[in-house]
């Protein structure tokens, strides 16, 4: 962004250190700095410290006005941008903080001091360490400082903080599922009382109202002003309204809808009334007038709750949701087409067979029909077939067919029937008796034998047929 030619940048910057500590520093050399850069700044008790630039430019002026800090009060200055050696030394100092805190806690327990050491902050040059502790009263830690100075060989500074400051330094996750307000953006801690919970119709449960610091949650003050403005229109001292029907008692109040619910003695139903009607009844009771009842009952319109999916609730609909539906429709259409084709093929195979049966029966004349008297004994019409195996062509186990027993004995050599060759067409006249076996299987086996036979009437191998 281009600035005006005669514009002079604001020479004060805000630098952030460990925890929520922020301070203002002068930039006398007009070093070009951006938010997030590491800088070496002047320390309050000598030496130097390392921190991150948080705000630059005109935003610093606005922040100073908010904190009521004047430009003349800013005395410390920025030395330079942090070099590689400065960063390595600063990281080495930060690595010592965890071990130093645990050793100092052990020393405090040995001296039986009623204090809790919560955090340690090393200076960037490793010459000083600030210990933050919480305690209910004053603590004499002079002996503790001597032992810590002998153990760590650095300058020691003890600073007492409150429970909320401790939670802001340590951080954490609140009951709302987000990071603590005091460790992210909240800088000034206002007093929170139980009246804030009462005004908002919250249950006075300490476990629900207390935060991680053990005090009342700071967020109880966020909506308190809105509730106080809404309560201005709610009438006071309306717990009972006298009517000829009975004393109606207040059961519920909705300050945002400006509705109040009353109930008669001995009845379970509640009567909703607007605030205007409640004020009228209250004034009538003050004047000594007792109305017959509460008035017209307002029926509430219950709107059906809109059911939202999980994705719609958070506003993260998939960009490819329409493509997925289209692909599913394509798969369904393809499956339907393949199923129709299979059904059509099956129907085409079965139709000629079903049509051929009546045609064959109609085309047969009386001369082509078999006569029952010319068939060998134990014919198919009697439901039995000759027992025994096939001659030289392999035998089939008995009882594998369901159409009945075959007549005893095998076929004559050459594969011809006893009444003549199958190709001569001189079949014995006569109708076939009912229950004579499976016609479709017999017709298929005869067609296979006709294909495999040679002009002499025998099978290709000269052996009896096995196709039946």
């Amino acid at each position: 962004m281009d600035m005006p030619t005669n514009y002079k940048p604001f020479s004060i910057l805000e630098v952030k250190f460990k925890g929520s500590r922020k301070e203002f520093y002068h930039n006398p050399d007009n070093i070009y700095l951006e938010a997030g850069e590491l800088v070496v700044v002047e320390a309050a008790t000598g030496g130097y410290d390392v921190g991150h630039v948080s705000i630059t430019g005109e935003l610093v002026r606005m922040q100073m006005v908010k904190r009521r800090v004047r430009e003349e009060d800013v005395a410390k200055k920025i030395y330079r941008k942090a070099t590689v050696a400065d960063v390595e030394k600063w990281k080495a100092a930060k690595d010592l903080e965890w071990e130093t805190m645990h050793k100092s806690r052990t020393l405090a327990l040995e001296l039986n001091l009623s204090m809790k050491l919560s955090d340690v902050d090393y200076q960037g040059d490793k010459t000083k360490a600030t210990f933050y502790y919480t305690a209910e009263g004053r603590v004499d830690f002079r002996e503790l400082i001597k032992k810590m100075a002998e153990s760590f060989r650095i300058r020691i500074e003890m600073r007492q903080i409150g429970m909320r400051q401790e939670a802001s330094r340590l951080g954490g996750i609140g009951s709302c599922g987000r990071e603590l307000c005091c460790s992210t953006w909240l800088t000034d801690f206002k007093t929170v009382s139980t009246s804030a919970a009462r005004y908002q119709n919250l249950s006075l449960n300490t476990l629900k109202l207390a935060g991680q610091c053990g005090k009342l949650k700071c967020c109880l003050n966020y909506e308190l002003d809105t509730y106080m403005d809404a309560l201005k229109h709610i009438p006071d001292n309306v717990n009972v309204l006298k009517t000829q029907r009975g004393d109606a008692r207040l059961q519920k109040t909705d300050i945002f809808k400006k509705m109040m619910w009353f109930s008669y003695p001995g009845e379970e139903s509640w009567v909703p009334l607007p605030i205007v009607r409640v004020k009228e009844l209250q004034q009538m009771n003050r004047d000594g007038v007792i109305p017959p009842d509460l008035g017209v009952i307002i029926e509430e319109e219950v709107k059906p709750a809109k059911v939202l999916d999980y994705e719609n609730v958070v506003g993260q609909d998939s960009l490819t949701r329409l493509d997925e539906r289209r692909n599913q429709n394509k798969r369904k259409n393809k499956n339907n087409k393949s199923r129709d084709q299979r059904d059509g093929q099956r129907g085409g195979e079965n139709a000629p067979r079903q049509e051929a049966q009546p045609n064959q029966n109609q085309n047969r004349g009386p001369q082509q029909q078999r006569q029952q008297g010319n068939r060998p004994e134990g014919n198919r019409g009697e439901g039995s077939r000759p027992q025994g195996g096939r001659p030289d062509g392999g035998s089939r186990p008995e009882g594998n067919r369901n159409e009945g027993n075959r007549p005893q004995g095998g076929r004559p050599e050459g594969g011809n029937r006893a009444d003549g060759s199958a190709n001569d067409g001189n079949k014995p006249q006569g109708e076939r008796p009912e229950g004579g076996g499976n016609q479709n299987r017999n017709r298929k086996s005869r067609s296979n034998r006709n294909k495999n036979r040679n002009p002499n009437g025998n099978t290709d191998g000269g052996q009896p047929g096995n196709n039946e």
Side-chain angles (χ1 to χ4, degrees):
M1 178 178 177
D2 296 335
M3 304 300 293
T5 55
N6 57 352
Y7 172 76
K8 292 183 180 180
F10 194 56
S11 61
I12 299 177
L13 285 79
E14 186 185 62
V15 181
K16 181 180 178 181
F17 299 93
K18 182 182 178 180
S20 58
R21 182 168 67 97
K22 296 179 181 179
E23 296 183 9
F24 298 102
Y25 292 89
H26 266 295
N27 186 12
D29 299 332
N30 292 327
I31 304 172
Y32 180 74
L33 297 172
E34 294 182 354
E37 288 187 316
L38 280 172
V39 291
V40 177
V41 298
E42 181 183 358
T45 57
Y48 66 89
D49 201 355
V50 178
H52 291 85
V53 178
S54 58
I55 300 177
T56 60
E58 295 298 324
L59 293 176
V60 182
R61 195 191 302 272
M62 298 173 61
Q63 197 71 13
M64 292 177 66
V65 173
K66 181 181 177 181
R67 296 187 183 181
R68 299 177 182 179
V69 178
R70 297 181 299 177
E71 297 184 17
E72 296 80 10
D73 297 337
V74 180
K76 294 179 286 186
K77 60 182 180 179
I78 297 175
Y79 289 145
R80 62 185 181 274
K81 288 185 179 181
T83 60
V84 178
D86 295 333
V87 174
E88 290 179 354
K89 193 172 185 179
W90 172 65
K91 288 183 177 180
K94 295 300 178 184
D95 294 338
L96 296 175
E97 291 179 353
W98 184 260
E99 183 180 357
T100 302
M101 183 179 65
H102 283 277
K103 288 183 178 180
S104 59
R105 285 180 178 178
T106 305
L107 295 175
L109 290 174
E110 292 176 356
L111 296 175
N112 295 325
L113 298 177
S114 58
M115 59 184 298
K116 177 186 175 183
L117 290 168
S118 58
D119 195 13
V120 179
D121 187 7
Y122 263 84
Q123 197 168 283
D125 55 358
K126 293 175 64 176
T127 60
K128 177 185 173 184
T130 304
F131 291 82
Y132 297 92
Y133 71 96
T134 57
E136 295 181 358
R138 293 181 60 86
V139 180
D140 186 7
F141 46 76
R142 288 177 292 182
E143 189 67 24
L144 178 63
I145 291 178
K146 292 179 181 179
K147 289 190 175 183
M148 288 193 296
E150 294 176 359
S151 177
F152 305 130
R153 300 291 181 181
I154 54 175
R155 289 183 290 120
I156 305 297
E157 180 182 355
M158 303 294 294
R159 186 173 296 181
Q160 185 176 2
I161 58 176
M163 296 292 184
R164 289 178 176 168
Q165 286 81 5
E166 180 186 13
S168 66
R169 293 191 64 86
L170 299 179
I173 303 298
S175 59
C176 59
R178 303 185 64 179
E179 194 174 354
L180 298 179
C181 300
C182 55
S183 62
T184 52
W185 60 273
L186 190 62
T187 55
D188 52 340
F189 301 100
K190 296 181 180 180
T191 304
V192 184
S193 61
T194 55
S195 61
R198 286 198 298 267
Y199 285 133
Q200 300 177 45
N201 294 328
L202 298 176
S203 62
L204 300 179
N205 189 351
T206 309
L207 297 177
K208 293 183 178 180
L209 297 179
Q212 300 234 349
C213 57
K215 306 293 183 181
L216 292 176
K217 295 179 181 178
C218 298
C219 56
L220 292 176
N221 286 336
Y222 295 168
E223 298 178 355
L224 181 60
D225 295 338
T226 304
Y227 278 87
M228 296 297 293
D229 294 339
L231 286 172
K232 292 179 181 179
H233 306 285
I234 304 299
D236 298 330
N237 301 324
V238 287
N239 294 330
V240 179
L241 293 177
K242 295 182 179 181
T243 62
Q244 296 178 4
R245 190 174 174 181
D247 293 344
R249 294 187 175 277
L250 179 65
Q251 300 293 341
K252 178 184 175 183
T253 303
D254 194 332
I255 61 176
F256 296 111
K257 291 183 179 180
K258 297 182 179 180
M259 296 288 295
M260 303 180 75
W261 282 261
F262 292 85
S263 64
Y264 290 108
E267 296 184 4
E268 297 181 356
S269 60
W270 293 358
V271 180
L273 295 177
I275 293 177
V276 179
R277 177 60 179 169
V278 174
K279 290 181 179 180
E280 293 177 359
L281 295 173
Q282 188 180 19
Q283 187 63 33
M284 293 173 66
N285 291 155
R286 289 175 182 173
D287 297 340
V289 179
I290 299 178
D293 54 7
L294 294 177
V296 180
I297 299 176
I298 301 176
E299 295 182 359
E300 295 183 276
E301 297 181 0
V302 180
K303 297 181 179 180
K306 186 177 180 181
V307 180
L308 299 176
D309 297 335
Y310 177 76
E311 295 181 351
N312 294 337
V313 171
V314 297
Q316 294 179 353
D317 285 340
S318 175
L319 297 177
T320 60
R321 63 187 186 281
L322 299 178
D323 297 337
E324 293 175 358
R325 294 178 183 176
R326 192 179 298 110
N327 294 335
Q328 291 178 359
N329 294 334
K330 287 183 179 179
R331 294 193 198 99
K332 290 181 180 179
N333 295 335
K334 188 180 294 184
N335 295 335
N336 293 335
K337 287 182 180 180
S338 60
R339 191 182 299 110
D340 294 339
Q341 290 177 0
R342 290 196 300 268
D343 294 340
Q345 292 177 0
R346 292 175 182 175
E349 293 176 359
N350 296 331
R353 295 181 181 178
Q354 295 175 359
E355 295 176 1
Q357 292 178 3
N359 294 336
Q360 292 175 1
N361 295 331
Q362 293 176 3
N363 294 333
R364 286 182 181 177
Q367 296 178 358
Q368 295 180 357
Q369 294 178 354
R370 297 181 180 179
Q371 296 180 359
Q372 183 177 358
N374 295 333
R375 295 178 64 87
E377 295 180 1
N379 57 5
R380 296 184 182 179
E382 297 175 357
S384 61
R385 307 185 79 170
Q387 299 179 0
R390 296 182 181 179
D392 300 336
S395 61
R396 183 174 293 181
E398 297 180 1
N400 291 338
R401 302 256 178 173
N402 296 328
E403 60 266 23
N405 298 327
R406 298 185 178 225
Q408 298 179 0
R411 287 186 182 179
E413 296 182 1
N416 298 329
R417 293 181 179 269
D419 52 358
S421 175
N423 293 334
D424 294 339
N426 297 326
K427 294 181 180 179
Q429 296 182 0
E431 295 182 358
R432 188 173 181 177
E434 296 180 0
N438 194 343
Q439 297 179 2
N440 293 332
R441 184 182 58 76
N442 297 334
R443 189 181 299 109
K444 185 175 181 181
S445 62
R446 286 197 299 271
S447 62
N448 292 336
R449 287 198 303 269
N450 293 336
K451 292 179 181 179
N452 296 331
R453 287 176 181 175
N454 54 15
N456 296 329
N458 297 329
T459 57
D460 294 339
Q463 299 294 335
N466 297 329
N467 295 325
E468 187 173 356

